[in-house]
């Protein structure tokens, strides 16, 4: 996915004018030709970049990132980068809302929005939010946001999976095949994320945060959730774990342990028998004691032959 991501966002905004308040005028017109632009509009467009107060933009209601989970800690790299550069280097993608107070909604760029907002609220009022305004349908906005974030580690598997499940119903008539084709991914890859999004709410609540839920976990739990008795055991354990704040690995160990079958203990000992098809007599030794075990159904002849083998072995010269 990284090559596609690079092809979409391969232009660095070098030689970009500083925003107003930092000594220069607004951003100039730049011409960008990207794979997404070609797919969505069918032509190369000249894009208008603007510097705005981040309060003029809100998150698109279908944004694939949980904005309320963003924090100073998980955006620290971006905050420090913008402060060091003196500006935001890459524009967020937005579209118009038609509202006077918040004329834009953010399609791509939630972390940038948070970072600039945090800086302005923490003694850096000169920073402004760099945006690129586009005319996009909801389905186009979904695909554009997905392409930008697909290979980024700072958006969780579960956030991405939840976005896919919602889009499947809203834009693709519940056709996984059509959705996979539009996103240019394999149906199997897409199915795994949809499977994650469909995890029972009890299991989701067992983890400390939705950001800790990984696609791998859904794959590991799937066989058990398909068997009613095992599914109920897992859900009961998940309910017991809710709110305890265990790390993700510990949660998974507990959930899988709820249905783990104990391994049969090795029988040990030595078996004496007349023929291979017979169960024979098993001799076990513990300390100075020896126990002989055999099935009640063994015939006298089979027992005598097995006992003779045992005695010959026991008292061999």
């Amino acid at each position: 996915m990284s090559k596609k991501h690079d092809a979409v966002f391969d232009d660095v905004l070098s030689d970009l004018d500083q925003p107003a308040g930092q000594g220069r005028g607004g951003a100039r017109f730049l011409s960008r030709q990207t794979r997404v632009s070609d797919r969505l509009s069918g032509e190369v467009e000249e894009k208008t970049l603007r510097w705005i107060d981040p309060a003029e933009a809100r998150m698109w209601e279908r944004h694939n990132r949980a904005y309320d989970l963003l924090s100073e800690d998980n955006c620290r790299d971006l905050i420090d980068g913008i402060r060091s550069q003196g500006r935001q280097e890459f524009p967020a993608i937005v579209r118009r809302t038609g509202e006077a107070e918040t004329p834009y909604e953010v399609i791509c760029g939630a972390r940038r929005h948070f970072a600039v907002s945090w800086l302005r609220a923490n003694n850096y009022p000169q920073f402004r939010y760099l945006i690129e305004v586009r005319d996009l349908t909801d389905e186009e906005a979904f695909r554009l946001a997905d392409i930008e974030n697909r290979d980024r580690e700072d958006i969780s598997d579960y956030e991405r999976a939840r976005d896919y499940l919602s889009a499947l119903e809203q834009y693709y008539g519940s056709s996984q095949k059509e959705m996979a084709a539009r996103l240019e991914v394999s149906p199997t890859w897409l199915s795994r994320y949809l499977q994650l999004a469909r995890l029972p709410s009890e299991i989701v609540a067992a983890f400390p945060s939705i950001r800790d839920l990984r696609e791998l976990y859904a794959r590991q739990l799937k066989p058990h959730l398909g068997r009613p008795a095992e599914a109920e055991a897992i859900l009961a354990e998940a309910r017991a774990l809710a709110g305890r704040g265990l790390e993700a690995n510990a949660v998974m160990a507990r959930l899988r342990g709820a249905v783990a079958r104990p391994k049969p203990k090795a029988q040990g000992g030595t078996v004496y028998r007349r023929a291979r098809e017979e169960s024979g007599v098993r001799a076990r030794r513990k300390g100075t004691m020896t126990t002989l075990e055999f099935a009640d159904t063994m015939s006298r002849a089979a027992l005598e032959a097995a006992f003779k083998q045992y005695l010959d072995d026991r008292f061999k010269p």
Side-chain angles (χ1 to χ4, degrees):
M1 300 301 174
S2 60
K3 289 184 178 179
K4 183 181 296 180
H5 181 276
D6 291 344
V8 175
F9 296 97
D10 59 357
D11 55 313
V12 178
L13 299 180
S14 59
D15 195 32
L16 182 65
D17 286 345
Q18 295 283 354
Q22 289 183 273
R24 297 189 181 179
R28 59 173 93 160
F29 287 94
L30 295 181
S31 178
R32 298 178 69 200
Q33 183 177 3
T34 65
R35 192 179 291 182
V36 171
S37 295
D38 293 343
R39 290 195 190 117
L40 300 186
S41 67
E43 60 184 11
V44 179
E45 297 180 5
E46 190 174 71
K47 304 300 180 182
T48 304
L49 304 181
R50 293 187 174 94
W51 296 99
I52 66 169
D53 182 335
E56 296 179 64
R58 56 174 166 78
M59 294 303 109
W60 178 34
E61 62 180 5
R62 292 213 60 259
H63 198 286
N64 55 8
R65 190 185 296 277
Y67 192 86
D68 60 328
L69 295 181
L70 296 178
S71 67
E72 178 187 353
D73 288 338
N74 59 37
C75 291
R76 172 49 60 188
D77 59 332
L78 187 56
I79 291 171
D80 290 345
I82 293 175
R83 183 167 53 190
S84 174
Q85 293 292 327
R87 63 187 180 186
Q88 176 189 331
E89 291 290 330
F90 297 93
I93 307 300
V94 305
R95 63 181 182 180
R96 293 180 177 85
T97 64
E99 301 172 6
E101 293 186 1
T102 51
Y104 307 106
E105 61 182 2
V106 180
I107 307 302
C108 306
R111 290 182 81 240
R112 281 161 280 182
H113 185 276
F114 179 90
V116 174
S117 298
W118 187 93
L119 285 164
R120 288 173 63 87
N122 288 271
N123 303 318
Y124 294 92
Q126 72 272 24
F127 284 101
R128 307 196 76 192
Y129 188 45
L130 179 62
I131 63 170
E132 177 183 310
V133 184
R134 294 197 189 181
D135 184 15
L136 301 166
T137 67
D138 283 354
E139 193 271 344
E140 290 169 344
F142 161 72
R143 285 192 290 121
L144 182 62
D146 175 59
I147 288 174
E148 184 189 58
N149 288 322
R150 191 178 300 164
D151 63 347
R152 290 189 174 181
E153 295 182 357
D154 58 11
I155 182 169
S156 71
D157 286 358
Y158 190 72
E159 288 173 289
R160 180 177 291 114
R162 192 169 56 178
D163 190 37
Y164 286 168
L165 182 59
S166 176
L168 177 68
E169 300 167 357
Q170 290 197 20
Y171 308 136
Y172 305 106
S174 298
S175 172
Q176 291 184 212
K177 183 177 180 181
E178 180 183 347
M179 182 174 174
R182 290 289 280 168
L183 296 183
E184 298 185 14
V185 299
S186 73
T188 300
W189 185 90
L190 176 60
S191 179
R192 288 175 178 172
Y193 277 90
L194 294 175
Q195 178 179 295
L196 172 60
R198 292 177 174 129
L199 280 178
S201 58
E202 295 95 328
I203 293 177
V204 176
F207 288 83
S209 167
I210 62 171
R211 296 176 65 88
D212 296 308
L213 274 163
R214 297 170 54 196
E215 180 270 323
L216 173 63
Y217 298 158
R219 265 188 286 155
Q220 292 174 335
L221 294 175
K222 181 181 179 181
H224 304 296
L225 295 176
R227 295 187 279 266
E230 294 186 12
E232 182 50 41
I234 287 176
L235 293 178
E237 183 67 17
R239 286 189 286 267
L241 295 174
R244 295 183 57 179
L246 295 181
E247 292 186 357
N249 288 339
V251 171
M252 276 301 296
R254 292 283 295 270
L255 294 181
R256 298 179 73 182
V259 292
R261 293 182 175 85
K263 295 181 179 179
K265 295 181 179 179
Q267 292 184 318
T270 304
V271 177
Y272 300 92
R273 54 192 164 204
R274 178 180 56 180
R276 294 188 61 182
E277 63 272 13
E278 293 178 346
S279 58
V281 173
R282 184 176 298 276
R284 303 177 192 272
R285 187 171 180 177
K286 186 174 182 180
T288 59
M289 300 295 293
T290 298
T291 303
L292 300 179
E293 300 174 351
F294 54 88
D296 289 340
T297 56
M298 282 188 69
S299 66
R300 180 188 180 96
L303 273 173
E304 287 179 344
F307 284 150
K308 183 178 185 305
Q309 288 182 18
Y310 165 71
L311 291 171
D312 289 343
D313 185 40
R314 173 72 178 79
F315 297 104
K316 62 185 177 184

